[in-house]
Amino acid sequence: MEGPPRLSRLTVTQNEQAKVEDKVSDIYRVLVNVSPRARSLILELWRDKHVEFLMRGLRMLAPSYHVLDANRPWLCYWMLHSIALLGESFDPRLEEDVVDFLSRCQDPNGGYGGGPGQASFVLIIMPHLATTYAAVNSLITLGSEKALTSINREKLRLFLLRMKDSSGAFRMHDAGEMDVRASYTAISVASILNILDSEMVKNIGTFIISCQTYEGGIAGEPNSEAHGGYTFCGLATMILIGEADRLDLPSLIDWAVFRQGVEGGLQGRTNKLVDGCYSFWQVIFSHTPSEGGPLFDSSALQQYILLCSQVL
C-alpha cells in the first residue's frame, strides 16, 4: 500500500537556507584554484581598514545611523571595544570627548540612558540596563582616571537595586521587561565595578535556570525559545555568581556546538540562518577531555567571518 504523497514544496526557511548556502558556496569557490599565497591574502583581516572605519565612526556617523539614536552608548562600546581588540591606542582628545558624552548620558539617580535628554516627556535621561552596560564597559575600555571616576558607583548601585524584582530577575528599566539580558547586564556591571552584593544575587540563579529550555540553550524568559544571545547572558551570569553548575551544562554545550552551520558560521536559534553576530555570542571555548581541542570547527568559523562577514 502506498503511503501519503510527499510534499514537494519547500518551506520559506528551507528556501532561505538554500539561498545562503549558494551565496557562501560562490564565495568559497574562489579559494579552490588559487595558490597558497593568494589564499593567505584572501583570508586576511583588514586591520587598518577596520581601525579607520571605527575611528571615523567615533567622530561622525552616516545619516542612516539615526535609527540607533537611542543606542548611542552601544555605538561607543562597539567601536571602542573593537579598537582596543585591534591593539590601537586612543587619541587623548577623542577619549575626553567620549567621556564627556557618556557623562551626559548618566542619570543623576544612577544608570545611563540611550543619549543626552532621552526620555518620554521630560528633558532627563531614562536609565536603562543595556545602555548602562555599554557605557560602563566603554569607560573601562578607555581606562583613564577621568573615565573611571566619571562613574557614580554608589548611585549606580542604587539604580541596579531598583531594577531588581522580587522574583530574583531584573528589569531593563523602570516598569520594563524582565529577561536574561537584564540579569546579565546588571550582574556584569555590578561585578566589574565591585559593587555586587548578596541582595543583587538573591534568587537570580533560580530565574536563569527557569529559562533553560528542553533544547539545552537558554531563552530570554521562561517558556520561550533557546537563543544564542540569551544563552551567553545566562551562562555568563551564572559564572559571575558562582552557580554555573546548577545549569544542565552538557545539554547547553550540545545545543551551542550544533549551532554551527555547513557554511562555517553560527546560528542563533535552531533553523535560523547563520549570522556574523553569533560568532561572538555562540562560541564556547570548551575543550573535550580526551582530545583537548575546541568543540566547534574554528577554522571554518574564521573562514566564514573573513570571507562572508568582512566588508571592504
Side-chain angles (χ1 to χ4, degrees):
M1 180 176 178
E2 293 185 3
R6 297 182 63 184
L7 296 176
S8 58
R9 262 186 95 168
L10 297 176
T11 65
V12 173
T13 300
Q14 289 170 319
N15 281 322
E16 291 301 313
Q17 176 64 32
K19 288 178 185 178
V20 171
E21 290 180 16
D22 287 343
K23 287 181 180 179
V24 173
S25 295
D26 290 341
I27 295 171
Y28 286 174
R29 208 167 281 123
V30 176
L31 295 177
V32 175
N33 297 315
V34 297
S35 67
R37 176 171 173 74
R39 187 178 293 114
S40 176
L41 291 173
I42 294 171
L43 292 170
E44 180 179 331
L45 179 69
W46 303 323
R47 180 189 176 281
D48 293 343
K49 291 187 179 296
H50 290 307
V51 171
E52 179 185 348
F53 170 77
L54 295 163
M55 289 292 192
R56 186 171 64 248
L58 280 173
R59 292 181 173 88
M60 180 71 71
L61 289 170
S64 58
Y65 281 88
H66 76 276
V67 296
L68 293 174
D69 187 55
N71 293 282
R72 292 166 74 184
W74 276 111
L75 293 170
C76 289
Y77 170 64
W78 291 328
M79 287 183 273
L80 291 170
H81 186 57
S82 298
I83 291 168
L85 287 174
L86 290 167
E88 192 72 17
S89 59
F90 300 103
D91 175 79
R93 177 62 187 275
L94 182 61
E95 184 174 332
E96 282 200 18
D97 289 345
V98 172
V99 176
D100 289 340
F101 168 74
L102 290 175
S103 294
R104 288 186 283 120
C105 296
Q106 188 169 202
D107 186 83
N109 294 314
Y112 292 79
Q118 290 189 7
S120 300
F121 303 108
V122 290
L123 294 177
I124 59 173
I125 301 164
M126 177 181 287
H128 191 284
L129 276 175
T131 45
T132 295
Y133 172 88
V136 168
N137 278 281
S138 295
L139 294 165
I140 288 174
T141 299
L142 292 174
S144 67
E145 182 178 356
K146 181 176 181 179
L148 298 177
T149 56
S150 71
I151 304 170
N152 190 330
R153 293 168 67 248
E154 183 53 37
K155 292 288 188 179
L156 182 49
R157 175 180 172 276
L158 295 175
F159 165 65
L160 295 178
L161 289 174
R162 290 201 306 273
M163 297 304 103
K164 178 78 172 179
D165 185 75
S166 58
S167 66
F170 284 85
R171 297 187 180 276
M172 291 303 298
H173 56 86
D174 186 36
E177 69 274 24
M178 287 185 293
D179 56 33
V180 171
R181 174 187 46 147
S183 301
Y184 168 67
T185 49
I187 295 298
S188 176
V189 165
S191 177
I192 203 166
L193 293 179
N194 199 27
I195 56 175
L196 186 63
D197 57 29
S198 58
E199 190 174 358
M200 286 189 206
V201 171
K202 185 178 179 182
N203 293 331
I204 189 68
T206 300
F207 171 72
I208 300 293
I209 289 171
S210 72
C211 297
Q212 186 168 20
T213 77
Y214 71 94
E215 288 185 277
I218 297 173
E221 56 190 12
N223 303 314
S224 294
E225 183 181 14
H227 183 281
Y230 290 125
T231 298
F232 172 92
C233 289
L235 177 59
T237 301
M238 296 297 273
I239 290 172
L240 288 171
I241 66 174
E243 297 183 18
D245 58 346
R246 294 182 64 191
L247 290 166
D248 182 350
L249 292 176
S251 176
L252 187 153
I253 292 172
D254 281 348
W255 176 84
V257 298
F258 278 105
R259 300 284 66 75
Q260 185 165 30
V262 294
E263 309 90 342
L266 297 164
Q267 58 181 194
R269 305 190 305 267
T270 302
N271 291 329
K272 183 179 171 72
L273 299 177
V274 293
D275 184 327
C277 72
Y278 294 109
S279 300
F280 175 81
W281 297 116
Q282 291 286 65
V283 171
I284 304 290
F285 290 102
S286 301
H287 291 73
T288 57
S290 58
E291 299 176 7
L295 297 175
F296 60 94
D297 189 335
S298 56
S299 295
L301 178 59
Q302 289 176 10
Q303 181 172 284
Y304 171 80
I305 293 170
L306 293 173
L307 293 180
C308 302
S309 301
Q310 190 168 220
V311 179
L312 180 62

